[in-house]
Structures are given as C-alpha cells and as structure tokens.
C-alpha cells in the first residue's frame, strides 16, 4: 500500500493548534473582491519562532476530494498526495490535484499575528467574527457557516488575554501579555468600573442590588471575574483591590442569599413543621499560611509541633504559594510532621533510592519481556495516551517534546510498579500534573502523588465501589442540606448524581484553573472540618445552581450539561466559604441523622428519631442495604406516623404525602 | 417556542481509550479539530441537528470515557440509545480487537434493536497503521454491521458516518411506524417532539428507546 501520508516525516515548523472548517471570508482590506466569499479553514497556528497567528486558508488551496465525503462508504484514497506548503507546514492529505499556480493560491492565505492583534468582535448571532490590528478599522471579517464562533473564541482565549469592552459586549480587546501591571490598569480603565473608589463601587452596587438584584449582581460579577482573572494570574498571595471587592461582594451576597431564603420559605405553609436547617453562617475565608507563620511553627530542629493549628490555618486560608513546595509534602504524608531536618534528609535519601529502584524495574524491561507481559503493556499504553493529553494548553506541558511530559510519564509508570494491581486509571494524570508543576522534582512529585492517591484510592476501584458510595453519600447529604434540589434531581432521573462523577473522580481538577485547584486541594487535604468535606463542596456548588436547575425545570440532559459547563466558571473561595457554612448548618441541625453523622465522620448517637431508634439499632441489615429508615422517610416511602425533635419541640411527622412535599 | 426538530435520536460513541471518540464528536458537532484534547472523564454529550430527507433530525450524541473501569457507570447511558458508534484506532491493534468486547457489552446493556456502526478512526496516520481496512471490513461482515474508516483530523467520512447511522435509524423507525396498524402508534416512536415537554412521568431513558 502506498503511503497517503508522510505526515510524521515533514519537519513540523508551523503547527495547527486549532482548526475550524467552514469559515467564509466576507471582507478583507486590500484584497480583490474575487478573493472574497470563499470558504476556508480558520486556524490558530504556532510559527517556527514559537509565536502564534490566526490563519485563514481558502479551501480550494487545500481541497479534500469533497465528493469522497459524500459518497457513502467511500474508500479512503490511499494514493493521495501530501503537499506541504507555507513553510513546510504539515498539511492535510490531498486527493485532488494541486494547481500549478500554487504561489498565487498561497498569497490568498490571511495571516494575523497574535502579537499584533488588537481587538476582535463576534456579531451576528455569534456567527461573524472580525479582527483588527489597528484601532478603528476591522480589517478582516469571517463568517462561520458551521455552528458559530464560540469555540474558536474559547480556544483563542487560551493563547491571548482579552477583556471585553464597556460599550460593546461583543468586542474583545487583546491585553498585552507581558506587562502585568498594565494589564490590570488597562482592564480597569476599559471596564470603567473602578473610577470611583472601591467602597463607592460596592455601595452603588448594593443600592442597585435592592432595585435590580439579579441583573446588578450578574453584571458586577461578570466584570469582576474578568478582572480578578486577568489581573491576578500569577500574583499569588498578594491581595489587591479587585480581590477585596470580590470579598465584599461575596459577603454582601451571602447576606442577600440568607434573606431570600427566608422569603422563599414563606411560600410554603407547611414549613412550620419542616425540619429546616439553621440559617447558614457566612464565614469569611482567611489569609494563606505565610512564610513567617510557617517558619514560626517549626522548632529549631525543624519539627512541626502544632499540627492541628497548622491544619486549621491552612483550612481557613490555604498556603502562600512560596511555601507550598514545602507544606504540601506534609499535607500529602510524604514528610511526617514530627521529623527534624536531619531526619527528613535521611528520609528523602531513602525515598529517592526507593523511587529509582522502582523506576529501574520498568526501565530495564526488554522488548521481549514487554511483548510477553500484556498487563504491563496495557498499563503502559494507557499512560502514554493520557500523558499526551494532559493539560497540554498549560505552558508547563505545552508543545512537542516537552521534557515535563517525559517526567509525567516516568512518574506514572513508576507508580504502576509501585502499585501494579491498581495500575494506571484515567484521571491519575490529572491528579499528578499540578503536583509536578508545583514541586518540579520527580521524586518529590512521585511521593506526594502516592500520598494523594492514598487519600482517594477508592475513586479508582476496579468495580468503582468507592465512586458509587460517594455518589450515594452525596445524594444523602444533598437531601439533608438542600432537600428541594435533591427532590428535583430525583424527579429528573438524576438522583444517582452521576453528573458529579468528574468532580469526585479527580477532586474538581477539571473544574478549576491551576491556581484555584491548588487552593482547593490543600484545603481538602487538611481533612477539616470533617470527613468527606469534598462532598460538601459538591453540595455547595449545586446549592448555588439550585434556583437555575429548578426554575428552568432542567431535565436529565440539561442537568448534566449545565453541571459540565460550570467548569472554569466557579469561584473557589466562595465555594469553600459556602461549603463551610453548609457544614455548620448541617451539624447544628436538631434533626441531624446518624446517616449524615456517619458520612461526616461524627460520632453517632442512635437517637435521630425517637420512635424508631430502637428498631434502627436492632436491624443492622437495613443499614447495610443503604436504606435506613431516615432515608426511606425522606423519600416518603414506607412512612408511618412518627415524631421528630426540632429545637426541643416534638414535631409529628404527618404522613407520607406531607413528607413527599417536604423532601 | 416553535418546534425545532422532527425527530430526536440519541447516539452513543464507545470504544477504547484514546481512539478519538471526542475528536470525532468535535469534528461532527463543531467541524473543528484541536490537537490538544483532554481525556474524557465521566460523560458528556453534544447536539447537532441535521436535515434528513426533509426532516429535521436532532442528534444528541453521548461521549463516554473509554477505560474499562468506568464501564459500570457508562453502561447506564447505553439504555435508550438508538444508535451506537463503535470506534477503534487503525494505528492500535488492541483497540480493534476490543471491538468484539464492546459489541458484547452492547448486547448486554443496550436495547436489542439498536443500530450499530464500526468506525476505524485516525486513517490519516497511514504510516502508523496496524489494522488494514480489509480487516475492518471483515469484522463488519462478520457482525453484519456497517463500517467506515474515518479521520477526525482530516474531516474524512465523519459526516457521512453520522448521516448513515441517522438514516438507518430513521428508516427503521418509519418501518416500525408503518407496521403498526394503529395510526396512533406512529406518534409513539423513538422520538419526542420539543413542544410536548416533560409532562410524562416516565424515565427519560424509556422515552427515547424504540418501542
């Protein structure tokens, strides 16, 4: 069979990072009219000098035999010609004839360097996109025939920083990537919301909130998200005005939330007997554990004595980025808290030797051995596939032949030897990637990864029992903390909470930026304030979406879509604060059940309800089935009359019907 | 809101990890390709409405994680699928061999009359090919399933694959409707109209399965 492609052989000078087909060139300054209205492919390309450009190539230049596409069962043309053009760029496999006036055709390529791009805008129902490298002139206009420009814009934003302009929501200004302070100033100026001083802004906002609560909040938040995002990237531990405003906003928002909850309850007469949760306290987040504090917490020989105190501090505010490398080793059980510097040095030496001996085990495997060792081969192939698609848009893992990918692979392969039975499971590379980025060292990253895996090993069970248990526990927590939402989900066939699978499997790694996931993880590693706090994080996220999910009457598919789309739109500090508030609500609820106590690792009392406590103790089989009577009550099944103690008052639980309404 | 489609078909992409399920879906739904894909965790879906013989057919295509360990979760989504794309990677022998296991998996978990199709993806990587087109065809003959080689990267045959699967589902559905002597039965086929929303208390899954 002759080769249709020698793709791998062509030196990869220019590379298509993203391609969007079906893009019509509508207007282009300085181009003859004949060039217009032709269809092509709009790409984001990486140039040989590592700069990036937007490039549009007309289809007739790169025609694929379009008939082949329409023929059913078309044979793939195996005698196609591979052409490379535009500085030897790898191109599509061509099965048509290449015109001889190739140079003329090449001249029709439109290339806009990302360094020169100033603004772009998306109009006409998101189908039209215009670019400009000069203020005031839209030089090129493209029309997206297939779908719309949303995805292209999303990928473009991976490569440039943008801000939306104040006057026109559809216009994006490219923010110069190099000068951090300028970024902030410019975005502030363009957004024009910080011309007054911060306090004024917040007060204006507050007064607007009263009149138009929803719009005002959304508007303010969308602006703030932009600023916080663009302004603070890479400025760890440093608070600035935008963060403070965000904090103030968060606080005022929780106040408003509380009041609306109260109004809400007025809608239901039945509420008087409903075992409502106590009001949710609004607990502000603290500042990160600082270098000074951390130094002060170690004795002269390096032992950390106040372990609980350290964990409290970290739970409250996380860890300053500058000392994460050191602190994470403790949080991930690589460095025992009580060890002196000397002992840690000895430990590090021992662990380093251990690591490399395990690494040698797979490195020294011969081809023949490998060929006869299918279980090893399977694991290896899974690792390779996933390493190549782990966070490749992050600069640390981007580009071909990135040495960090090799380290990522080596650690995961060594982990396969460390725990061959578990092997490699998808999601592990997501867990490891931020660790390696932060620690930068292969051995440290490996042992910290081991520590993290120990915490979440059940997520990767062969039979997925750990995941299923967590999903059930999450449902039980939600039913207790946000019964209205739990009920809605159950009605929409989503009671199994499968739509939270990704959150749980990799501990929200796919939902947050690197900066935020580091904060979230270190807080969760403290295992405070209770067991399974990560499930309360889920409850907090869902509770914030409750109104949308219920009021729009989202069904099975919409719920999944909505939850998947929350990725990268979540505010980590707000969620942590809400989750902690929910924790306090739950544990101080008078009707707290043993079921919930067990999930949160609290001692059980066996007196959750007065009428059935004895039978509950006696019939362990019911509990084993995962259907203890509280749960059945909540679902309104098998419901007898009973009483419940609430605030010291005995409340009779009326009937099945009322419970169904309540739950 | 006015009705935006005539039929809703639920399709499912399955196959080993890394064969290109997400890329195929991305190519079909957005006509785009991204070199830096991430592995799929859990489940997701995309929508595209196509025109099929004058009918607007809304395709809801589910994308799943490929690793065997996650099958207990993903099989929950098999039920109710009307068409399944079985994807392997022509540069990966193992993924081809596993197609048989995936078919068994379907037989155990999906409705019996689900339409199937085998896709040999990444056919642009000719130099790395491990599975010849002939072997793909043989397998397809053996199982009486349609087969086509695709390249999500080069946008080869992805469109026609989905159109074919959709057309087969539509044909099967219309045949069933005709067979049903009671004309009222024609409305209860494997589709749901947009303008008759969630009134039905039955599960979403059962709403979508062919009767």
């Amino acid at each position: 069979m002759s080769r249709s492609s020698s793709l791998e052989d062509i030196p990869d000078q220019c590379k298509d990072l993203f391609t969007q087909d079906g893009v019509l060139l509508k207007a282009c300054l300085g181009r003859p009219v004949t060039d217009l209205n032709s269809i092509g492919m709009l790409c984001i390309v990486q140039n040989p000098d590592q700069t990036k450009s937007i490039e549009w190539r007309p289809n007739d230049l790169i025609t694929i035999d379009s008939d082949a596409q329409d023929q059913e069962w078309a044979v793939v043309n195996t005698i196609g010609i591979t052409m490379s053009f535009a500085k030897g760029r790898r191109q599509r496999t061509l099965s048509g004839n290449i015109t001889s006036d190739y140079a003329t055709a090449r001249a029709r390529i439109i290339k806009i360097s990302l360094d020169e791009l100033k603004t772009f805008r998306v109009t006409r129902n998101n189908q039209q996109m215009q670019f400009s490298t000069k203020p005031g002139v839209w030089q090129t206009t493209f029309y997206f025939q297939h779908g719309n420009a949303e995805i292209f814009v999303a990928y473009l934003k991976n490569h440039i920083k943008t801000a939306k302009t104040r006057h026109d929501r559809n216009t994006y200004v490219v923010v110069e990537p190099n000068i951090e302070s300028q970024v902030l100033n410019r975005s502030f100026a363009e957004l024009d919301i910080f011309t007054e001083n911060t306090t004024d802004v917040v007060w204006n906002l507050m007064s607007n909130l009263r009149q138009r609560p929803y719009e005002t909040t959304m508007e303010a938040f969308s602006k703030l998200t932009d600023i916080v995002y663009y302004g603070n990237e890479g400025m760890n531990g440093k608070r600035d005005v935008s963060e403070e405003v965000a904090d103030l906003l968060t606080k005022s928002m929780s106040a408003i939330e509380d009041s609306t909850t109260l109004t809400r309850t007025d809608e239901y007469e039945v509420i008087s007997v409903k075992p409502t949760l106590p009001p949710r306290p609004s607990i502000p987040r603290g500042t990160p554990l600082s270098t000074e504090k951390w130094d002060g917490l170690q004795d002269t020989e390096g032992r950390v004595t106040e372990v609980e105190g350290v964990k409290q501090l970290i739970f409250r505010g996380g860890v300053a980025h500058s000392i994460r490398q050191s602190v994470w080793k403790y949080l991930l059980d690589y460095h025992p808290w009580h060890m002196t510097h000397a002992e840690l040095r000895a430990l590090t030496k021992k662990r380093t030797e251990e690591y490399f001996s395990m690494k040698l085990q797979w490195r020294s495997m011969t081809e023949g051995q490998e060929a006869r060792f299918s279980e090893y081969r399977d694991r290896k192939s899974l690792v390779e596939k996933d390493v190549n698609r782990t966070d490749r848009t992050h600069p640390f893992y981007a580009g071909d032949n990135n040495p960090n990918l090799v380290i990522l692979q080596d650690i995961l392969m060594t982990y396969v030897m460390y725990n061959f039975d578990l092997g490699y499971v998808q999601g592990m590379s997501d867990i490891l990637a931020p660790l390696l980025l932060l620690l930068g060292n292969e051995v440290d990253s490996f042992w910290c990864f081991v520590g993290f895996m120990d915490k979440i090993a059940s997520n990767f069970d062969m039979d997925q029992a750990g995941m299923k248990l967590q999903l059930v526990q999450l449902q039980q927590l939600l039913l207790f903390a946000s019964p209205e939402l739990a009920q809605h989900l159950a009605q929409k066939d989503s009671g199994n909470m499968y739509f939270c699978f990704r959150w749980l499997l990799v501990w929200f790694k796919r939902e947050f930026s690197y900066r935020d996931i580091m904060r979230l993880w270190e807080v969760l590693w403290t295992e405070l304030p209770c067991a399974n706090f990560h499930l309360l994080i889920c409850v907090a996220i869902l509770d914030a979406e409750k109104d949308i999910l219920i009021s729009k009457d989202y069904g099975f598919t919409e719920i999944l879509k909505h939850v998947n789309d929350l990725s990268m739109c979540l505010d980590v500090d707000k969620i942590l604060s809400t989750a902690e508030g929910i924790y306090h609500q739950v544990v101080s609820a008078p009707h707290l059940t043993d079921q919930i106590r067990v999930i949160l690792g609290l001692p059980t009392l066996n007196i959750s309800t007065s009428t059935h406590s004895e039978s509950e103790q006696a019939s362990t089989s019911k509990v084993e089935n995962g259907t203890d009577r509280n749960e059945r009550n909540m679902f309104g099944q098998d419901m007898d009359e009973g009483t419940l103690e609430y605030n010291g008052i005995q409340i009779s639980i009326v009937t099945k019907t009322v419970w169904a309404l309540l739950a | 809101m006015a009705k935006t489609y005539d039929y809703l078909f639920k399709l499912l992409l399955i196959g080993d990890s890394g064969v290109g399920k997400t890329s195929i879906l991305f190519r079909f739904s957005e006509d785009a390709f991204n070199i830096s894909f991430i592995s799929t965790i859990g489940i997701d879906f995309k929508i595209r409405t196509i025109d099929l013989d004058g009918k607007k057919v809304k395709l809801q295509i589910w994308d799943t994680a490929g690793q065997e360990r996650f099958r207990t979760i993903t099989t929950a989504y098999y039920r109710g699928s009307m068409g399944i794309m079985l994807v392997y990677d022509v540069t990966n022998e193992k993924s081809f061999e596993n197609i048989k296991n995936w078919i068994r998996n379907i037989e155990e978990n999906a409705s019996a009359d689900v339409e199937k199709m085998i896709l040999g993806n990444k056919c642009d990587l000719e130099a790395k090919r491990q599975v010849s087109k002939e072997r793909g065809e043989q397998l397809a003959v053996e199982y009486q399933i349609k087969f086509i080689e695709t390249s999500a990267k080069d946008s080869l045959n992805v469109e026609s694959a989905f159109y074919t699967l959709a057309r087969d589902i539509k044909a099967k559905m219309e045949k069933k409707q005709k067979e049903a002597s009671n004309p009222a039965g024609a409305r209860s086929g494997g589709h749901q109209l947009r303008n008759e929303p969630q009134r039905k208390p039955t599960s979403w899954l059962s709403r979508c399965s062919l009767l």
Side-chain angles (χ1 to χ4, degrees):
Chain A
M1 188 180 288
S2 69
R3 299 187 313 172
S4 77
S5 134
S6 51
L7 295 181
E8 302 313 304
D9 307 334
I10 300 168
D12 234 354
Q13 293 178 21
C14 275
K15 193 168 62 176
D16 292 345
L17 301 177
F18 180 86
T19 58
Q20 170 75 56
D21 285 82
V23 179
L24 186 81
L25 176 66
K26 280 190 73 179
C28 182
L29 279 185
R31 292 286 172 111
V33 182
T34 47
D35 275 9
L36 303 182
N37 287 321
S38 43
I39 303 267
M41 178 160 74
L42 196 62
C43 316
I44 301 171
V45 300
Q46 185 167 359
N47 301 313
D49 60 357
Q50 303 301 308
T51 59
K52 288 163 192 159
S53 311
I54 294 167
E55 201 173 288
W56 178 84
R57 293 172 217 139
N59 266 4
D60 40 13
L61 188 68
I62 49 170
T63 321
I64 304 182
D65 189 351
S66 57
D67 295 338
Q69 282 228 54
D70 297 327
Q71 283 168 24
E72 286 197 28
W73 320 127
V75 179
V76 179
N77 191 337
T78 48
I79 333 170
I81 311 154
T82 303
M83 272 296 293
S84 60
F85 64 96
K87 300 180 213 151
R89 175 184 307 108
R90 157 201 292 207
Q91 257 312 328
R92 290 175 170 226
T93 306
L94 306 176
S95 46
N97 284 327
I98 305 296
T99 48
S100 55
D101 53 348
Y102 152 70
T104 335
R106 236 190 84 177
R108 288 174 55 207
I109 294 178
I110 292 169
K111 193 158 179 159
I112 307 160
S113 165
L114 289 191
D115 291 338
E116 287 164 21
L117 182 65
K118 292 284 185 297
T119 57
F120 60 93
R121 72 173 176 189
V122 183
T123 51
R124 302 217 166 174
N125 217 1
N126 274 345
Q127 287 196 295
Q128 182 169 292
M129 209 171 164
Q130 292 173 295
F131 297 93
S132 167
T133 55
K134 238 192 303 184
V137 194
W138 295 111
Q139 285 132 327
T140 41
T141 305
F142 296 103
Y143 188 78
F144 288 66
Q145 293 195 314
H146 306 171
N148 59 40
E150 271 170 32
I151 297 203
F152 187 84
V153 171
Y155 281 96
L156 188 58
K157 281 178 167 178
N158 286 336
H159 303 287
I160 46 171
K161 293 192 175 186
T162 58
K164 286 191 181 180
T165 57
R166 188 169 63 109
H167 312 290
D168 181 1
R169 286 180 45 85
N170 300 318
T171 303
Y172 298 78
V173 177
V174 180
V175 183
E176 279 164 44
N178 299 326
I179 315 145
E180 286 291 338
S181 59
Q182 261 195 18
V183 173
L184 205 60
N185 293 341
R186 269 170 130 226
S187 356
F188 277 41
E190 273 144 14
L191 290 158
D192 202 24
I193 68 167
F194 287 104
T195 47
E196 305 139 283
N197 79 41
T198 316
T199 336
D200 287 347
V201 174
V202 175
W203 280 118
N204 285 348
L205 181 84
M206 289 306 292
S207 55
N208 274 342
L209 265 175
R210 253 173 238 136
Q211 287 130 34
R212 303 183 307 137
Y214 183 71
E215 297 86 325
T216 311
T217 319
M218 291 319 287
E219 195 181 357
F221 266 118
S222 63
K223 284 175 179 176
L224 275 166
T225 321
D226 283 357
I227 292 169
V228 172
Y229 179 75
Y230 296 115
N232 285 356
E233 276 280 281
M235 289 171 62
N236 286 291
K238 227 170 148 188
R239 282 177 74 80
D240 60 22
V241 64
S242 57
E243 248 182 275
E244 274 163 25
V245 176
D247 264 4
L248 276 167
L249 263 176
T250 314
K251 282 175 200 161
S252 48
M253 277 311 290
S254 14
I256 289 194
E257 259 172 39
D258 287 344
S259 66
T260 52
T261 315
L262 288 175
T263 353
R264 275 197 148 268
T265 53
D266 292 338
E267 294 167 27
Y268 305 100
E269 287 180 45
V270 82
I271 280 309
S272 50
V273 288
K274 182 181 177 182
T276 47
L277 293 175
R280 187 178 303 168
S282 168
I283 304 161
R285 299 286 305 153
T287 51
L289 174 69
S290 65
T291 317
E292 298 74 37
K293 269 194 200 141
W294 174 242
D295 290 344
L297 285 159
Q298 291 163 292
D299 69 14
T300 46
E301 292 183 297
R303 295 184 195 90
V304 182
T305 45
E306 289 295 322
V307 179
E308 276 319 298
V310 177
K311 286 188 178 172
Q312 286 287 349
L313 284 173
I314 296 172
F315 173 72
R316 186 118 318 282
V319 180
H321 192 69
S322 54
I323 51 168
R324 275 192 173 132
Q325 279 198 358
S326 166
V327 179
W328 279 21
K329 290 174 195 161
Y330 290 90
L331 287 171
L332 290 170
D333 302 321
Y334 173 30
H335 286 178
W337 301 91
H338 58 77
M339 276 197 181
T340 62
H341 287 315
E343 287 167 331
L344 286 177
R345 271 194 299 277
L347 179 81
T348 307
K349 188 167 176 282
K350 189 166 160 250
R351 291 278 183 259
T352 306
E353 283 164 11
E354 222 176 308
Y355 174 79
F356 283 108
S357 84
M358 285 187 288
K359 186 174 175 181
L360 194 64
Q361 287 168 358
W362 64 270
R363 287 286 276 244
S364 57
M365 204 170 289
T366 64
E367 261 182 50
Q369 275 181 299
E370 215 178 302
R372 291 182 294 273
F373 195 173
S374 64
E375 289 193 25
Y376 170 81
R377 255 189 349 260
D378 292 348
R379 286 161 173 73
K380 189 180 172 194
S381 129
L382 280 170
V383 169
E384 279 167 0
K385 274 178 192 157
D386 272 11
V387 162
N388 281 319
R389 43 185 184 162
T390 301
D391 293 330
R392 299 300 298 280
T393 51
H394 191 285
F396 190 76
Y397 294 111
D400 290 338
N401 306 318
N402 185 324
N404 295 323
L405 292 179
V406 179
I407 303 175
L408 203 61
Q409 164 131 354
D410 285 0
I411 295 173
L412 291 169
M413 284 306 294
T414 307
Y415 188 79
V416 166
M417 301 316 285
Y418 173 84
N419 190 345
F420 193 83
D421 287 343
L422 182 58
Y424 176 79
V425 187
Q426 282 193 314
M428 287 187 187
S429 68
D430 277 275
I431 294 291
L432 175 59
L435 300 183
L436 178 60
L437 168 83
L438 183 93
L439 296 161
N441 167 306
E442 185 172 343
V443 176
D444 289 346
S445 304
F446 174 80
W447 290 108
C448 284
F449 176 66
V450 168
F452 199 167
M453 284 305 298
D454 284 348
K455 289 182 191 292
I456 56 171
S458 78
N459 284 11
F460 300 100
D461 289 340
M462 188 48 100
D463 57 1
Q464 291 286 286
M467 286 300 295
K468 286 176 183 167
L469 175 67
Q470 289 177 74
L471 292 166
V472 168
Q473 290 176 331
L474 171 58
Q475 195 227 10
Q476 291 166 346
L477 279 174
L478 192 71
L479 197 51
F480 190 81
S482 190
E484 210 187 337
L485 178 59
Q487 185 69 16
H488 177 83
L489 295 176
Q491 279 169 6
K492 304 295 178 187
D493 293 319
S494 300
N496 58 21
M497 309 300 287
Y498 277 2
F499 57 90
C500 297
F501 185 88
R502 187 175 76 193
W503 294 358
L504 295 175
L505 187 80
V506 290
W507 270 26
F508 310 97
K509 160 67 167 41
R510 295 276 175 98
E511 320 310 316
F512 292 99
S513 68
Y514 263 51
R515 202 183 64 155
D516 289 348
I517 199 63
M518 287 183 178
R519 174 58 35 85
L520 180 62
W521 280 359
E522 63 202 10
V523 169
L524 290 176
W525 292 333
T526 65
E527 293 172 14
L528 292 172
C530 60
N532 283 316
F533 188 61
H534 69 292
L535 297 179
L536 288 176
I537 298 282
C538 297
V539 174
I541 301 174
L542 291 173
D543 191 65
E545 304 303 317
K546 182 176 84 177
D547 290 346
I548 296 179
L549 295 174
I550 295 177
S551 68
K552 296 198 175 169
D553 197 32
Y554 278 166
F556 180 82
T557 49
E558 290 105 334
I559 292 169
L560 180 92
K561 199 78 190 161
H562 185 77
V563 165
N564 279 351
D565 288 349
L566 291 175
S567 173
M568 302 297 155
C569 301
L570 299 165
D571 175 340
V572 73
D573 284 323
K574 185 162 188 264
I575 288 161
L576 280 168
S577 173
T578 310
E580 194 185 356
I582 293 174
Y583 163 76
H584 287 289
Q585 277 184 297
V586 168
V587 293
S588 56
H591 60 293
L592 180 62
T593 60
D594 275 357
Q595 182 190 55
I596 301 296
R597 284 198 181 89
V598 168
I599 298 172
L600 301 182
L602 305 169
T604 56
L605 301 176
N606 287 323
I607 52 161
S608 52
T609 56
S610 49
T611 49
H612 285 265
S613 53
E614 277 176 30
S615 61
E616 195 176 323
Q617 276 173 313
S619 69
T620 45
S621 63
K622 280 183 182 173
V623 179
E624 277 165 15
N625 288 336
T627 53
D628 75 12
R629 61 169 308 281
N630 294 314
E631 187 189 349
R632 282 182 290 120
N633 285 353
M634 291 305 239
F635 283 115
Q637 295 158 0
D638 195 16
M639 181 72 211
D640 306 321
E641 240 179 271
T643 53
L644 193 83
E645 197 176 291
Y646 174 57
N647 274 352
I649 306 158
Q650 296 279 320
I651 298 162
S652 68
I653 305 168
V654 218
T655 56
K656 213 170 170 168
T657 335
V658 172
W659 259 105
L661 281 170
L662 293 176
Chain B
M1 208 172 108
K3 171 179 90 173
T4 52
Y5 57 86
D6 302 299
Y7 300 114
L8 170 64
F9 291 169
K10 179 185 169 185
L11 311 180
L12 185 70
L13 283 157
I14 57 176
D16 277 10
S17 169
V19 296
K21 297 181 291 295
T22 307
S23 294
I24 288 175
L25 181 52
F26 195 57
R27 167 60 70 190
F28 182 67
S29 64
E30 322 291 345
D31 196 15
F33 182 79
N34 181 9
I35 60 158
S36 49
F37 266 107
I38 54 173
S39 61
T40 305
I41 293 182
I43 190 139
D44 201 359
F45 69 89
K46 286 196 182 291
I47 300 271
R48 182 174 154 191
T49 305
I50 60 171
D51 192 276
L52 216 56
D53 315 321
K55 297 279 188 205
K56 288 234 178 299
V57 180
K58 181 169 171 178
L59 302 178
Q60 183 187 70
I61 309 158
W62 292 75
D63 186 19
T64 59
Q67 196 171 353
E68 188 170 2
R69 202 156 317 205
F70 300 122
R71 271 185 217 172
T72 52
I73 302 285
T74 50
T75 45
Y77 291 86
Y78 286 16
R79 276 168 300 145
S81 312
M82 299 152 82
I84 296 182
M85 292 285 193
L86 292 135
V87 188
Y88 71 89
D89 168 0
V90 300
T91 71
N92 183 323
E93 173 75 32
K94 186 75 191 275
S95 73
F96 177 70
E97 288 165 14
N98 271 338
I99 287 288
K100 292 184 180 179
N101 295 329
W102 284 110
I103 291 176
R104 198 173 320 130
N105 216 253
I106 295 175
E107 284 164 356
E108 285 163 12
N109 296 288
S111 49
D113 58 354
V114 64
E115 284 293 330
K116 295 179 281 282
M117 190 159 171
I118 299 174
L119 304 186
N121 192 38
K122 305 195 190 176
C123 70
D124 54 291
L125 298 175
E126 198 54 53
K128 290 186 174 176
R129 184 188 276 274
Q130 289 182 356
V131 184
S132 70
K133 186 157 174 281
E134 290 70 30
R135 289 177 64 204
E137 285 164 345
Q138 264 171 23
L139 183 77
V141 170
E142 191 183 324
Y143 282 96
Q144 296 289 299
I145 300 176
K146 280 186 182 173
F147 162 74
I148 195 166
E149 284 198 343
T150 56
S151 163
K153 184 170 176 288
D154 285 354
S155 190
L156 197 67
N157 294 335
V158 175
E159 288 272 306
S160 69
F162 279 102
Y163 271 86
T164 304
L165 189 65
R167 199 168 281 129
D168 288 351
I169 295 169
K170 184 166 167 279
K172 181 179 268 182
M173 208 180 71
E174 285 168 350
K175 187 163 160 255
K176 289 203 172 206
Q177 285 174 354
K178 245 177 230 163
E179 280 170 5
S181 52
N182 179 7
R187 297 215 61 205
S188 60
H191 67 281
Q192 190 208 350
L193 296 178
R194 185 74 176 162
N195 54 0
E196 40 183 68
Q198 284 84 354
R199 208 172 308 135
K200 300 177 198 171
T202 52
S203 99
W204 173 84
L205 294 169
S206 66
R207 284 209 305 270
C208 275
S209 54
L210 281 168
L211 295 174

